[in-house]
Amino acid sequence: HLTDTVYLACRKNSVPVVTTIHGAGFFCPASNYMKKQRHICDENNCIKGNYLHSLINGCAQRKPHIQIPNLIFYTLNKKLLGYEKYISKFICPSNAIKSIGLKAGVPENKIITVYNFVDRKLPEKTLEKNNIKMEKNPDKNPDKIPDKIPDKNLNNSPGNYFLYIGRLDDGKGVNYLIEAMNTLPRNIYLHIVGKGSQKSELRRMASRYGLDNITFKGFITGKAITDEYKGCIASILPSN
C-alpha cells in the first residue's frame, strides 16, 4: 500500500491518478458498511461526512481505545487533507461499490465499474485436469445442492479441496464461508490459510458445526502457498 501523500505528489507534478476501490473502506470509517456490525448501513451518515455515527453505533469490531484513534486519523485524511480531490478516476469492481461512492459524493463522471475478469471456461478446465466429474441434479435445478458427492471424486488430497488465503479478521467474512461449508456434503474439503484476530473464534465455529472437512493451515509463505494454490480446485474470496 502507498501512503496517501502520493496523491499530492502526483498532483504537484500534473500526473493523473487512477485508483481502484476494492471495498467500502474508502468511504466507511468502519470499513464494513455494516450498521452495528449486523445490517447493511441504510443511513449513510458516515459516507456523507458525519463519521461520528460509526463510533456511536459501534459499527467497527474494535475496542474504543483502538477505534477512536482510527476515527481521528480517518477524519484527518478526509476533512483536512482531502486527498480524494486529487484523484482523476475511481475504478470499482462492482456496481454495489460504485453506488456507495456516488452516495458519498463522488461525481458520476469520475467513477466507473470494471469487473474483475476470469476465463469462463477455467472451472471446467480445472475439474477436468483433476479428473473430477460433478453429477448433475436430476431435477435440473442449479440451486439445489446434491445430498452427497461421490467420495471417489473429492477427497482432502492435492487437487481436491477449495482454498481461502488471507487475514482471519472480521472484514474478510470467513465466518460466512464456514457457515456455507456447514450446508454442504462433508466430503467437500476446505483449506483456510492465514492468521488474524478471529483465528480462535473461527476454529471454535468449525468445531461447533463438527466440520472436520476444514483444515486450518495457519500462516505460511513461499513454496507452501504456491503448493496450496496449485493443489486447490478453486480459491474462494468471501467478504463481510
Side-chain angles (χ1 to χ4, degrees), residues 97-227:
I97 296 177
K98 179 182 176 181
S99 69
I100 296 174
L102 292 172
K103 290 175 184 177
V106 177
E108 191 166 2
N109 65 341
K110 290 184 65 175
I111 188 167
I112 62 172
T113 300
V114 178
Y115 298 109
N116 292 327
F117 48 87
V118 67
D119 182 352
R120 296 179 64 180
K121 294 184 178 180
L122 186 59
E124 296 178 8
K125 293 177 182 177
T126 303
L127 292 172
E128 182 179 349
K129 182 185 71 173
N130 290 290
N131 195 28
I132 299 170
K133 297 179 180 179
M134 302 297 287
E135 293 185 349
K136 296 181 179 179
N137 294 321
D139 58 3
K140 298 182 180 180
N141 180 0
D143 297 322
K144 182 179 179 181
I145 299 172
D147 294 331
K148 186 174 178 61
I149 294 175
D151 290 329
K152 65 180 181 179
N153 288 337
L154 286 176
N155 53 63
N156 201 19
S157 60
N160 291 323
Y161 59 86
F162 292 92
L163 175 67
Y164 168 81
I165 292 184
R167 298 196 315 275
L168 304 184
D169 294 331
D170 61 299
K172 293 299 184 179
V174 183
N175 55 309
Y176 298 128
L177 180 54
I178 293 176
E179 288 176 3
M181 287 293 294
N182 192 41
T183 68
L184 298 175
R186 291 299 191 262
N187 64 330
I188 295 179
Y189 293 86
L190 171 68
H191 289 187
I192 295 178
V193 176
K195 63 179 182 179
S197 60
Q198 280 198 323
K199 178 181 177 181
S200 298
E201 180 181 341
L202 293 171
R203 283 180 175 271
R204 287 193 297 268
M205 184 179 182
S207 177
R208 187 167 64 250
Y209 287 142
L211 296 174
D212 56 3
N213 52 339
I214 295 180
T215 302
F216 288 86
K217 308 287 286 191
F219 178 77
I220 60 177
T221 59
K223 185 178 182 299
I225 286 185
T226 302
D227 290 343

Side-chain angles (χ1 to χ4, degrees), residues 4-107:
D4 289 342
T5 54
V6 73
Y7 297 143
L8 180 59
C10 290
R11 176 76 173 207
K12 287 182 177 179
N13 290 277
S14 301
V15 177
V17 175
V18 177
T19 190
T20 303
I21 305 171
H22 294 283
F26 200 92
F27 306 110
C28 167
S31 298
N32 55 20
Y33 202 54
M34 300 284 286
K35 184 179 178 181
K36 297 183 179 180
Q37 304 174 39
R38 296 188 184 95
H39 311 288
I40 297 295
C41 182
D42 56 0
E43 295 181 357
N44 298 313
N45 291 309
C46 292
I47 66 173
K48 292 177 180 177
N50 193 345
Y51 308 132
L52 191 60
H53 282 266
S54 69
L55 184 62
I56 295 173
N57 291 325
C59 299
Q61 200 171 36
R62 306 183 186 97
K63 294 181 179 179
H65 72 278
I66 298 176
Q67 189 177 354
I68 291 174
N70 285 347
L71 186 59
I72 293 173
F73 180 75
Y74 189 91
T75 303
L76 176 66
N77 265 323
K78 292 284 187 177
K79 296 288 189 181
L80 299 183
L81 302 178
Y83 290 128
E84 289 179 28
K85 62 179 177 287
Y86 303 134
I87 299 174
S88 305
K89 208 76 168 182
F90 295 86
I91 297 177
C92 305
S94 72
N95 286 328
I97 296 177
K98 179 182 176 181
S99 69
I100 296 174
L102 292 172
K103 290 175 184 177
V106 177

